[in-house]
C-alpha cells in the first residue's frame, strides 16, 4: 500500500489499519456477548475476561484513531456471525475465531504503524493469539499472518513459503 501523508502527519495506511483494528474490536465485543450467552459455566469467567479485555482495547483503539487525526468509526448495531452459535461448543469456536481475526488485524497494524502505536498493536496481537490458543487448544507458528500459517501443500514448502525455483 502506498503511504501518503494525511493531516496530522499520520499515513493513510496507519489510519486504515487502526480503523480496521477498531472495527474488529467492535465486532469482538459483540461476539463475546454471544459467547457469554452460550458458553458452558466452566468457561464463563474466561468469556467475561475476553469481553472486558476487548471493551478496553476498543476504547484504546478509539483514542488511537482520534490521535491519528481521524474520526473513529462507530460500532454497527449488529454483526453477522461466521457460523450459527446454538450451544457452548459453537461459542468456544466463535471465541477462537474472533481472536484469530483480531490477531490478523493487529498484525496489519504492526506492519503499518511505528512508535507507541506499533508497540500497542504488538501487545494486541500477542493477547489475541494467546486467547485464540486458550479457546481453540491449538496454535499456529505465526499468529495473525495467514500467509505464514497456511498448511504445507504441493506448491508450498513446510515454512509456508512458495518453493524457490
Amino acid at each position: 500500500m502506498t503511504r501518503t501523508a494525511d493531516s496530522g502527519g499520520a499515513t493513510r495506511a496507519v489510519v486504515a489499519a487502526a480503523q480496521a483494528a477498531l472495527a474488529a474490536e467492535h465486532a469482538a465485543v459483540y461476539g463475546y456477548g454471544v459467547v457469554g450467552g452460550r458458553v458452558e459455566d466452566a468457561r464463563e469467567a474466561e468469556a467475561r475476561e475476553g469481553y472486558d479485555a476487548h471493551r478496553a482495547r476498543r476504547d484504546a483503539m478509539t483514542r488511537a484513531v482520534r490521535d491519528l487525526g481521524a474520526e473513529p468509526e462507530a460500532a454497527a448495531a449488529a454483526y453477522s456471525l461466521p457460523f450459527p452459535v446454538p450451544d457452548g461448543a459453537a461459542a468456544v469456536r466463535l471465541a477462537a475465531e474472533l481472536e484469530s481475526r483480531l490477531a490478523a488485524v493487529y498484525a496489519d497494524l504492526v506492519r503499518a504503524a511505528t512508535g507507541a502505536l506499533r508497540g500497542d498493536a504488538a501487545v494486541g496481537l500477542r493477547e489475541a493469539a494467546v486467547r485464540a490458543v486458550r479457546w481453540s487448544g491449538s496454535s499456529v507458528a505465526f499468529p495473525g499472518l495467514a500467509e505464514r500459517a497456511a498448511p504445507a501443500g504441493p506448491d508450498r514448502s513446510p515454512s509456508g513459503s512458495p518453493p524457490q525455483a
Side-chain angles (χ1 to χ4, degrees):
M1 176 178 262
T2 303
R3 294 180 181 199
T4 308
D6 287 341
S7 62
T11 66
R12 288 186 187 140
V14 176
V15 171
Q19 290 280 27
L22 175 57
E25 290 294 357
H26 284 312
V29 169
Y30 179 89
Y32 265 93
V34 174
V35 170
R38 301 275 194 281
V39 76
E40 303 295 327
D41 291 344
R43 299 199 81 177
E44 190 175 309
E46 191 175 357
R48 169 57 75 179
E49 175 191 318
Y51 177 76
D52 290 342
H54 290 298
R55 285 181 49 202
R57 281 240 162 245
R58 176 205 59 202
D59 295 346
M61 286 310 307
T62 297
R63 287 187 299 275
V65 169
R66 279 197 183 109
D67 290 348
L68 291 169
E71 182 64 29
E73 293 188 23
Y79 292 85
S80 296
L81 299 176
F83 48 82
V85 185
D87 56 26
V92 168
R93 286 193 318 275
L94 176 59
E97 178 68 19
L98 291 169
E99 298 297 349
S100 293
R101 290 179 180 194
L102 280 159
V105 296
Y106 278 116
D108 290 344
L109 185 54
V110 168
R111 282 189 286 262
T114 59
L117 182 56
R118 186 177 198 181
D120 291 345
V123 171
L125 169 56
R126 185 194 72 223
E127 289 174 355
V130 168
R131 276 192 294 272
V133 169
R134 286 184 187 151
W135 286 110
S136 70
S138 64
S139 65
V140 295
F142 299 99
L145 302 177
E147 66 274 12
R148 297 278 191 212
D155 60 343
R156 295 227 171 245
S157 70
S159 71
S161 302
Q164 300 297 315

